[in-house]
Amino acid sequence: ISRTWFLSIIQNEFRNGKIDLDSTMRLLEKLQMPFDFAHVKHVFKKTLDKQKAHTITMEDFRAIYRNIVHRPEFHELFRAYSPNSKILADTELIEFLRREQYETEACETTALEIILKYEPIEEVRKRRQMSFEGFIRYMSSEDCSVFKRDHRTVYQDMNHPLCDYFISSSHNTYLISDQLIGPSHLWGYTSALLKGCRCLEIDCWDGSNNEPVVYHGHTLTSKIQFRSVIQVIDKYAFVASDYPVVLSLENHCSPKQQEVMAEYLESILGDKLLTSTIGDTVVTQLPSPEALKFKILVKNKKVGTIEESMLRRDLDSHGQTGEVSDFEIPSDEDEFDEKAPLCSKRDSSKRKSEYRPSHTPRKKAKVKKIKIAIALSDLVIYTKSEKFVSFEHSLANQKCYENNSIGEVRARKFIKNSAKDFISHTSRFITRIYPKGTRTNSSNYNPQDFWNVGCQMVALNFQTPGVPMELQDGKFQDNGGCGYILKPEFLRNCNSTFTPQNVGIYSKPMSLSIRLISGHQLPPSNLSKTNKADPVVQIELYGVPEDQAKKKSSVIKSNALSPRWDETFSFTVQVPELALIRFCVEDEVSLVSNEFLGQYTLPLLSLNKG
């Protein structure tokens, strides 16, 4: 049956006897299996080497198809459940689902759904059976993805206060390259939003013709108009997720241009912009992502309280400004203030107080006054930026709608020296972490360290590929990729005694066993003229310090098409709720260096059994 079906699909293409490489690719696509061009091309050429021609026959094509699609590891599995090695009856498929895929609830209906969805041969489908062709298609499908199906949609409780969630956050969103001379571009905002990012950063400066501009101040990065940025955000804010977007304004504009910003925010975003509290004017706890669906929030310094700005709502605040005190707290950090100048400017003397790299000797805190346009200040509702002084100060004075930004170096010291206070703080207040100013090449820190202590907005340079962004993408694949992930209970509870270094009673040990079977159509090595590589797989765990682990497979020599390992790796994980697992495939170039071929990262608790 299988052969008849196969010939019925392909014979039309062979009316003229033979086909070339392009027709071969088209025909493989028609057979609805994923193919990699480099591998098909290599197998195609290998077939031709014997014949010294440019085209292949129907039998050659069948051999190529079987070589690439009929993987031996699938055959072994199929044969274990199919008595005649040709067909799986629905009862045998149910047995397979229960024993291999841990689908304990699997029944006749489940099997039938799979057969109807994946069995390509009509005759077999009608008999409620599955051929090897159907089995391959099922095994290669999303339904057999290692990522849990029900985690691909929003499944967590979205009615907790905002501070109870990890929030996908970007740093200097407008940059698409380095931090000094590279371009600023609207694409930075589009691509971050399409990835589900929910907290964007906008650095605003006075521009000509009373038009505020966005760029990395005191550097040579190019400028884009604030108005254009807000138009792009308006267009893409809710394409990937319905949940609220926070605009973190790094505001360096004069009150006059701040009014222009407020005007653009209101006129362009319209009803999407949150301009008043939801329900009660007296805010005792933050609203939930659910209550703020399809809303855009402004995060900026604010004059006075929410209650005061609500009383002013219908009055004309044009031309009015207020003052906010900002503490300059000298610290021995080796990081600049987030927006310290990275190249000297003539007017640096004027700006000393505002942009002082914070590694001067300890002095008393300096207070400086910042002027803020009331029109902009009143748009800040639940996300008021407050300078972080200390955990004690926050506990005594900070309101639930006030949040802090802390640089990575200072935050890392807190993790080391006062983790419990840090966690107590993040259980109450939204905390944003940002990269140190010396990362001029837009490199990133490891976000896991800050998630471990409950920091909600761990801001990364989205434009920079590498392990930190892979962890970010992996973590936020969870909960339907909506950009909000409910923190574990021990990071939401104000009385928690959890710390990453000492998990204590919060440990829920889980044993994890990973069987690495095979790879298929891996990217060939850059050094290979054909489709070869020497693949090696690294399985890595990220989480609290005692859960960090790495294990490595053996190297399979010169095989990127279908390397086979059959190796098992075991791990014990103390805090599965915070753990991510990363599978990284590399090409062993020499004993000391490997070339990256690909990776996949996901939360440990989103890992499918089977």
Side-chain angles (χ1 to χ4, degrees), residues 210-260:
N210 206 27
E211 283 282 350
V213 291
V214 173
Y215 82 114
H216 198 182
H218 303 302
T219 68
L220 304 175
T221 57
S222 61
K223 298 174 182 174
I224 43 182
Q225 290 201 324
F226 178 76
R227 181 184 54 197
S228 309
V229 169
I230 302 306
Q231 284 168 340
V232 163
I233 291 168
D234 177 59
K235 189 173 173 185
Y236 292 102
F238 302 109
V239 174
S241 166
D242 300 349
Y243 291 99
V245 170
V246 177
L247 307 183
S248 183
L249 301 184
E250 187 70 45
N251 200 339
H252 306 273
C253 289
S254 59
K256 191 180 172 197
Q257 293 207 13
Q258 287 180 33
E259 286 200 347
V260 177

Side-chain angles (χ1 to χ4, degrees), residues 567-603:
E567 295 175 27
T568 303
F569 302 89
S570 298
F571 301 88
T572 302
V573 186
Q574 298 301 326
V575 188
E577 300 97 319
L578 288 171
L580 295 172
I581 183 163
R582 178 173 182 264
F583 299 91
C584 181
V585 186
E586 294 177 330
D587 173 36
E588 189 179 72
V589 179
S590 69
L591 288 173
V592 286
S593 81
N594 288 354
E595 181 202 327
F596 175 82
L597 293 181
Q599 69 85 38
Y600 183 66
T601 304
L602 73 164

